[in-house]
Amino acid sequence: MNVGERPDRQQLRDSAAAIEDMVRHHLDSYLVQLERAVEDAGGAVHWATGAAEANLLVDALVRQERLRAAEVGVTGANFLVAETGTIVMAESEGNGRVCPALPETLITVAGIETVVPTWRDLEVFLQLPARGSTGKRISPYVFTWAGVTDGDGPRNFHLVLVDDNRTPGHRAKRSATATNAREIVLARIRDALSDLPAEQRTITAPREYLRRAPGIEAGDHDAVVSLFFERVKHSGAQAHRVDASVLPKTIATVLHEHGVRSVIAPAGVPEGCLAEWTVDSGNRVVSDDPQLSTAELGGVDAVITICAAAIADSGTVVLDGGPGQGRRAPTLVPGCHVCVVHAEQIASSVPEMIGILDPLRPLTWLSPRSATADLEMICGPGVRGPRRLVVVIVE
């Protein structure tokens, strides 16, 4: 499938270029803001003056955690949001979901050039890279987190910021007076910017790209729901659009079709939605309170959740760990995920949806199928298919 070009692609590129210029001209300030936000969210920030120093830092952190018998995961990041301290990881196959969800300690290593100023800026960048790599409207899997979240995912978070000495002017005299990696990195940046006139440091990013999905008129929510339904089906997932009165019957049918005999239902899942399925005495609802181990989760057939929001343009559902969604691990391990989406939760596009979400929550953005693309941007299934995702839209 080739998804084609957006009519506002050039506007998105123009906005992205302006934001990148803004970051370069104020990188020292954004890094300090990011550091403060990550620490406020319960994480720790480490600075490295190059790749070799970053490797030593990670090695020391891993050794320290292993002495405490802790499981450790190490990731990269696509973006670091200075405003909120949010880490953003986008990928096409979903393998990275394990690190933010399962280990006791998470270490993220990222270059300082991945910083973006605000949460809203993601509405630009998340719509660009995927089309240049897999041809998808946005990356099939996007994971965001800020520090640590009680009862969900890692209990310890470390962010390693790496300056690989690529910015012009890094070797200016002032760098020699710094005494630690943080001071050296910031001094390098400030030296590189010292000759930039003040008027050139003031940049306003244009926001002329579409706020709604192409072809969707303001106020036409039925068209938004229909677009979401079609996008989900077209991406290879099972999709149903039903009235609330038949939700229990629909879910029972879906679970029977997939041979599900055990299911996790977090607190807050619509009351009674499993009523028809549990009539069969061989079926059981499994509690995740107290939390199940990874091995125990692997013995459960399915999980049923609601969502925090959904995006029609890409057929994406977004989970934030709120009521009816539970922690991240149960949506990762069992083989089938049934997600109930209420029609009013569906936004037409990323720009419409981004402001609904809390950037401090652990967010999981799921599109139905992992993806890869050839040189002609013809998109096909990834080499590692996703879990069976079933989306039930309730009107």
Side-chain angles (χ1 to χ4, degrees):
M1 176 186 67
N2 190 320
V3 301
E5 288 282 349
R6 289 182 61 99
D8 61 345
R9 185 163 179 79
Q10 188 57 52
Q11 289 87 345
L12 284 167
R13 286 174 168 168
D14 292 343
S15 183
I19 294 168
E20 289 170 350
D21 284 342
M22 189 185 311
V23 170
R24 280 193 291 269
H25 294 178
H26 301 274
L27 183 55
D28 54 337
S29 298
Y30 287 132
L31 288 172
V32 172
Q33 183 183 19
L34 171 71
E35 178 185 47
R36 182 168 57 249
V38 170
E39 291 174 347
D40 287 346
V45 178
H46 311 266
W47 300 68
T49 57
E53 187 172 350
N55 288 337
L56 291 174
L57 269 171
V58 172
D59 184 63
L61 289 169
V62 170
R63 290 173 183 272
Q64 172 187 322
E65 296 299 334
R66 284 181 176 167
L67 287 174
R68 293 159 40 188
E71 296 180 343
V72 183
V74 181
T75 74
N78 296 85
F79 306 104
L80 307 172
V81 183
E83 175 187 42
T84 59
T86 305
I87 315 301
V88 183
M89 183 170 63
E91 58 169 348
S92 62
E93 294 190 1
N95 299 320
R97 294 182 68 189
V98 172
C99 286
L102 298 182
E104 186 174 329
T105 295
L106 175 61
I107 303 169
T108 295
V109 182
I112 59 174
E113 70 279 0
T114 59
V115 172
V116 297
T118 71
W119 175 249
R120 184 188 176 190
D121 292 328
L122 293 179
E123 71 186 29
V124 175
F125 292 101
L126 288 179
Q127 296 187 88
L128 284 173
R131 288 176 178 270
S133 56
T134 66
K136 303 287 277 186
R137 290 174 174 84
I138 65 172
S139 294
Y141 299 94
V142 178
F143 318 108
T144 77
W145 64 93
V148 296
T149 302
D150 289 342
D152 188 357
R155 293 189 290 176
N156 309 291
F157 174 63
H158 300 271
L159 173 62
V160 178
L161 293 172
V162 186
D163 173 17
D164 209 12
N165 203 19
R166 289 177 290 180
T167 303
H170 270 180
R171 299 190 180 278
K173 289 188 297 182
R174 200 180 311 165
S175 300
T177 66
T179 59
N180 58 47
R182 182 182 188 274
E183 290 182 5
I184 291 171
V185 171
L186 293 176
R188 286 174 173 175
I189 296 167
R190 288 163 183 163
D191 282 342
L193 296 172
S194 60
D195 294 331
L196 184 68
E199 62 272 15
Q200 292 186 25
R201 299 191 69 174
T202 302
I203 297 173
T204 301
R207 303 279 179 174
E208 298 175 359
Y209 46 85
L210 295 176
R211 302 299 304 171
R212 294 185 296 275
I216 297 294
E217 299 294 331
D220 190 354
H221 197 66
D222 184 68
V224 172
V225 177
S226 296
L227 177 63
F228 176 68
F229 180 64
E230 292 302 322
R231 290 281 196 256
V232 172
K233 287 200 305 178
H234 197 60
S235 295
Q238 188 175 347
H240 302 268
R241 188 174 179 180
V242 303
D243 184 85
S245 63
V246 298
L247 178 61
K249 181 178 180 180
T250 302
I251 289 176
T253 300
V254 166
L255 295 178
H256 284 307
E257 287 176 352
H258 289 282
V260 172
R261 303 304 298 256
S262 57
V263 63
I264 296 172
V269 167
E271 187 174 354
C273 72
L274 289 170
E276 292 202 20
W277 179 75
T278 54
V279 169
D280 187 331
S281 60
N283 298 333
R284 61 191 179 96
V285 178
V286 180
S287 173
D288 189 40
D289 185 15
Q291 293 184 0
L292 300 173
S293 68
T294 303
E296 290 170 329
L297 289 172
V300 181
D301 296 329
V303 59
I304 181 170
T305 72
I306 60 174
C307 70
I311 309 169
D313 191 32
S314 56
T316 302
V317 295
V318 184
L319 311 178
D320 71 356
Q325 299 162 72
R327 63 191 180 103
R328 287 167 285 185
T331 66
L332 169 65
V333 180
C336 178
H337 182 181
V338 179
C339 186
V340 178
V341 180
H342 292 277
E344 63 270 18
Q345 293 180 295
I346 305 171
S348 77
S349 65
V350 174
E352 280 192 337
M353 184 275 303
I354 198 80
I356 298 171
L357 300 174
D358 181 351
L360 300 182
R361 300 288 303 168
L363 301 178
T364 301
W365 306 33
L366 297 174
S367 296
R369 175 177 290 176
S370 64
T372 187
D374 61 20
L375 292 176
E376 296 180 351
M377 299 314 300
I378 305 300
C379 187
V383 295
R384 295 176 180 85
R387 69 183 62 260
R388 292 164 288 166
L389 178 62
V390 182
V391 177
V392 182
I393 305 167
V394 182
E395 298 183 278

